[in-house]
Amino acid sequence: MKSLFTYLLLLSFAFGYAQKNFHGKAVYKSKTSFDMNQWGNRQLSEQQKKRIMERMKNMLEKTYTLHFNRTSSLYEEEEKLEAPGGGRGSFRFGGFSSGVQYKNTQDKKFLEEREFFGKKFLIEDPSEMPKWEMSGEQKQIGNYLCYKATMMKKTDEFDWQNMRRRGRGRNRDKDNKKPDSTKVRKVTEDIEMPKEILVTAWYTPQIPVSNGPGEYWGLPGLILEINSGKTTILCTEVTLNPKEKKEIEPLKKGDKVTRKEYNATVKKKMEEMREMWRGRRRGRS
């Protein structure tokens, strides 16, 4: 009896240790669609459009790595060398690209490091449980059986991936003249974005962590695919308990701000740049 008790105790300890030390690594590919004709570029030749799309490739196609354990994760973009000829004239959105993101799903804590015009910020967001609607729909992603879940997500005012020219899309009234202001957010005189977008997630209970790429979490399994507006994020590789374990600690670098404060800083800088650009145009005329 004593030996059985000792065996069960050791088994319980080993199981608890394995649970505590469980960790993994997932690689995601992100791709955002972009319709040049929507932005009034129909007069450009196909060759010109192709050159512009090549310059935008680094912005529209990205690779990320998610390091995770039972309760927390780090999500970071893979650094890329500039493509040949992609220096001058290549498209850069320094204020809009994601930095390293930290999530703790147990404490509901979300931190993100960003750099904007040479200044480092640490954005801290309250992370509420996402309101997913579960579905019985299934599909296979690699070696994993995945289940579908959906939710409506509010867009950020600088979510460039879902921006579009004003007056386009399905948000018009019955006379097909004015956009429905209850469904869209005005960004500039020419640009708008929907206030909400449909997000579809595919998660696998075979990896029992309530985590996923970027801001997405809250499902009974690792999220392997996200379809959000014009962007698809797909997991291409999963490694459980890799030999090289990455320490997952809360981020600390940068001036601590809320998302609202960070967006206000970016907006102010953009307005300053717009006024500077207008001043130069008036000077030339």
Side-chain angles (χ1 to χ4, degrees):
M1 183 64 123
K2 185 177 180 180
S3 60
L4 178 61
F5 175 77
T6 303
Y7 173 76
L8 291 174
L9 185 65
L10 289 172
L11 186 63
S12 175
F13 175 78
F15 180 76
Y17 181 80
Q19 291 283 93
K20 183 180 178 181
N21 287 275
F22 173 82
H23 60 285
K25 172 185 174 183
V27 177
Y28 293 86
K29 302 283 186 182
S30 169
K31 188 168 184 177
T32 301
S33 62
F34 182 79
D35 182 4
M36 292 191 64
N37 291 328
Q38 185 189 31
W39 297 91
N41 294 306
R42 291 186 177 86
Q43 68 275 17
L44 297 177
S45 68
E46 290 304 314
Q47 189 175 7
Q48 288 173 319
K49 290 179 183 179
K50 186 177 179 180
R51 282 202 300 268
I52 292 174
M53 290 303 292
E54 280 297 318
R55 291 173 182 169
M56 294 181 69
K57 190 172 183 179
N58 282 351
M59 184 180 75
L60 299 175
E61 298 179 17
K62 295 178 179 291
T63 302
Y64 297 89
T65 301
L66 179 75
H67 296 277
F68 59 90
N69 56 34
R70 289 291 178 190
T71 59
S72 56
S73 65
L74 285 174
Y75 187 66
E76 52 192 330
E77 182 182 343
E78 179 185 281
E79 292 186 9
K80 291 182 181 180
L81 295 174
E82 194 68 54
R88 187 176 179 182
S90 61
F91 290 78
R92 295 178 179 270
F93 285 74
F96 302 103
S97 60
S98 296
V100 181
Q101 299 174 357
Y102 167 86
K103 280 201 304 290
N104 187 309
T105 58
Q106 187 173 18
D107 298 338
K108 295 182 174 59
K109 190 173 186 179
F110 184 92
L111 299 170
E112 181 178 359
E113 289 180 353
R114 283 203 182 189
E115 185 173 334
F116 183 68
F117 278 85
K119 187 173 181 179
K120 293 183 178 180
F121 295 89
L122 181 61
I123 304 170
E124 183 171 3
D125 280 337
S127 188
E128 297 179 358
M129 175 66 78
K131 297 178 181 179
W132 295 103
E133 290 187 15
M134 313 297 280
S135 166
E137 191 173 342
Q138 305 174 8
K139 77 172 182 178
Q140 196 80 12
I141 298 180
N143 297 322
Y144 298 97
L145 177 63
C146 296
Y147 294 85
K148 181 180 177 182
T150 59
M151 71 171 175
M152 295 301 296
K153 187 191 84 166
K154 292 181 180 179
T155 58
D156 182 88
E157 61 180 311
F158 293 113
D159 180 10
W160 64 267
Q161 295 168 322
N162 289 296
M163 290 181 183
R164 63 195 184 198
R165 287 184 69 190
R166 294 197 72 199
R168 300 206 173 222
R170 300 176 181 177
N171 54 311
R172 293 172 175 270
D173 61 14
K174 294 180 180 179
D175 297 325
N176 200 34
K177 292 179 181 179
K178 298 178 182 179
D180 184 349
S181 60
T182 64
K183 296 181 180 180
V184 297
R185 176 188 291 116
K186 177 181 174 182
V187 180
T188 68
E189 291 299 324
D190 302 316
I191 301 173
E192 68 183 16
M193 74 168 69
K195 290 182 178 179
E196 288 187 325
I197 54 173
L198 175 66
V199 177
T200 301
W202 293 91
Y203 67 95
T204 177
Q206 291 174 253
I207 306 177
V209 294
S210 181
N211 217 318
E215 66 198 273
Y216 300 106
W217 64 286
L219 289 166
L222 182 66
I223 298 172
L224 297 187
E225 182 178 334
I226 285 286
N227 295 287
S228 172
K230 300 176 184 177
T231 300
T232 296
I233 306 171
L234 178 64
C235 182
T236 58
E237 178 185 342
V238 178
T239 307
L240 299 180
N241 296 317
K243 291 182 180 180
E244 294 185 9
K245 180 180 177 181
K246 188 176 180 71
E247 293 299 321
I248 301 174
E249 299 290 343
L251 304 172
K252 297 178 180 178
K253 296 180 180 179
D255 293 344
K256 188 175 286 189
V257 294
T258 63
R259 180 74 56 181
K260 186 176 181 180
E261 290 169 338
Y262 175 77
N263 285 350
T265 299
V266 173
K267 191 172 184 179
K268 182 179 179 182
K269 187 65 178 179
M270 289 177 67
E271 288 172 352
E272 289 174 359
M273 293 177 66
R274 189 181 298 118
E275 287 302 313
M276 188 184 301
W277 181 72
R278 287 174 178 171
R280 287 177 180 175
R281 288 192 64 185
R282 287 193 293 267
R284 290 195 194 101
S285 60

